[in-house]
Amino acid sequence: NYSDFFEQHYMPYVKVRKRSWKTDSSFYRLRLKAEFGDLRLNQITRQHIQTFHTRMSDEGLAAATSNHYLKLLKHSLNLAIDWDMLDINPASRIPLFHEDNQVENLLSDEQLERLMMVLKTDENRMVCQIALYLLSTGCRLNEALQAKWTHVDQQHRVWKIPASNSKSKRLRAVPLNDSALDVLNQLSTRGRYENIFINFQTQLPYTTISKVWGRLRTKAGLPHLRIHDLRHQFASFLVNSGQTLFMVQQILGHSSPAVTQRYAHLSTKSLQE
């Protein structure tokens, strides 16, 4: 049945090949096991999958989340075909929901000033420094949390993100501006720890900052501001200062120019001004 296949074949395969295997495991436990677990692979029908996909949307799940379930089913059953355990993939050709995930909570000057005031004065200095570093480099949160001092060359003002830490799975060099260097110079972890950002309560690198970030953004009167919005904000700084979309793509590490096109409207505004 699908449960045996997923647990005994699919998971051992992806654990060493897919960074997000824990997400797959979670999705399986949350919904896929109950829905398809007892069925033989050749008993899973296209109609059943289509109904399941639609029901998740009706229950209020985001389009992106519903699509992730469908993509996981499709990927796992494709592997079953590769391994001669199934002839036809019933999940193929089922259309994904349209994902309107282009949300950008770009800050006004006044909102940015409020956020900066909190980040420069709040007592949790390390998490504030992490947020300031994100705002100064445009990096992803996990890239910052996994950053090591050996990756930083302050003399040449560059931070090299190894392929193992990069979403694109390619080595990326991020130029460090004055603001980013200022953050690094304020830290006391150099020479004492391998990682740049350390939780001094646990003496370990941070794995998440969501709870503290929730408090900081509320304190700044910006309860809607996601940590990933700091990356978008940095991109807007670049575009509004006259940098090209190619430059934005290179610094942010987008795998394709199409991803960077979301900032094209900012570029048009900059040209008009």
Side-chain angles (χ1 to χ4, degrees):
N1 59 28
Y2 184 72
S3 279
D4 291 339
F5 164 75
F6 195 92
E7 294 171 17
Q8 297 173 24
H9 299 279
Y10 178 79
M11 284 309 300
Y13 177 82
V14 297
K15 272 186 179 179
V16 295
R17 293 174 171 85
K18 192 176 179 185
R19 257 185 230 166
S20 58
W21 66 267
K22 288 183 180 178
T23 303
D24 288 2
S25 178
S26 175
F27 277 29
Y28 167 71
R29 286 185 287 101
L30 287 172
R31 290 175 184 266
L32 294 183
K33 185 175 184 179
E35 189 74 31
F36 302 102
D38 294 334
L39 298 175
R40 293 197 312 272
L41 294 181
N42 60 6
Q43 286 181 314
I44 300 174
T45 65
R46 180 173 283 118
Q47 183 181 13
H48 188 172
I49 297 172
Q50 180 82 71
T51 303
F52 169 68
H53 189 221
T54 303
R55 190 189 331 128
M56 287 188 290
S57 177
D58 292 341
E59 290 173 2
L61 260 68
T65 306
S66 301
N67 286 345
H68 277 309
Y69 277 101
L70 178 56
K71 290 174 186 175
L72 175 53
L73 261 175
K74 191 177 295 185
H75 178 53
S76 63
L77 294 176
N78 273 338
L79 286 175
I81 292 173
D82 291 344
W83 297 331
D84 296 325
M85 303 168 79
L86 187 66
D87 294 327
I88 298 172
N89 190 336
S92 65
R93 301 199 313 277
I94 295 178
L96 299 172
F97 294 130
H98 174 67
E99 299 177 37
D100 184 14
N101 61 354
Q102 300 290 303
V103 178
E104 289 172 14
N105 296 316
L106 297 180
L107 302 175
S108 67
D109 290 347
E110 187 268 335
Q111 289 174 323
L112 182 60
E113 197 172 322
R114 291 206 314 263
L115 176 64
M116 292 299 292
M117 180 62 69
V118 170
L119 296 181
K120 288 186 178 294
T121 59
D122 190 82
E123 59 187 17
N124 193 321
R125 295 313 307 143
M126 189 60 74
V127 173
C128 287
Q129 299 289 17
I130 292 171
L132 286 167
Y133 195 69
L134 299 180
L135 200 54
S136 303
T137 60
C139 68
R140 300 175 180 90
L141 176 60
N142 280 339
E143 292 171 342
L145 298 186
Q146 295 174 35
K148 294 179 170 58
W149 282 110
T150 52
H151 301 157
V152 174
D153 182 346
Q154 282 184 266
Q155 182 181 351
H156 295 98
R157 302 171 68 103
V158 67
W159 165 40
K160 291 185 178 177
I161 301 176
S164 57
N165 295 355
S166 171
K167 186 178 179 182
S168 65
K169 298 181 182 176
R170 276 186 285 217
L171 175 70
R172 185 158 116 251
V174 178
L176 296 173
N177 56 25
D178 290 347
S179 177
L181 289 172
D182 187 49
V183 170
L184 295 177
N185 288 331
Q186 290 183 41
L187 298 173
S188 59
T189 57
R190 182 191 286 276
R192 297 171 56 201
Y193 300 91
E194 188 179 16
N195 281 64
I196 293 175
F197 299 106
I198 295 292
N199 183 338
F200 288 129
Q201 288 185 322
T202 64
Q203 298 294 304
L204 296 170
Y206 280 90
T207 55
T208 178
I209 61 169
S210 55
K211 187 175 180 181
V212 178
W213 173 250
R215 180 179 66 77
L216 293 173
R217 67 183 182 181
T218 300
K219 185 176 178 181
L222 301 165
H224 63 288
L225 192 68
R226 305 164 305 172
I227 197 73
H228 197 71
D229 289 325
L230 301 183
R231 179 169 162 86
H232 297 314
Q233 189 68 40
F234 174 79
S236 78
F237 291 156
L238 287 179
V239 174
N240 290 333
S241 67
Q243 302 302 328
T244 64
L245 291 182
F246 175 77
M247 190 81 75
V248 175
Q249 178 193 347
Q250 295 305 305
I251 295 178
L252 293 189
H254 289 155
S255 56
S256 162
V259 182
T260 319
Q261 280 299 314
R262 70 188 299 164
Y263 303 112
H265 66 286
L266 297 175
S267 181
T268 303
K269 182 185 175 190
S270 182
L271 288 172
Q272 287 172 338
E273 289 177 352

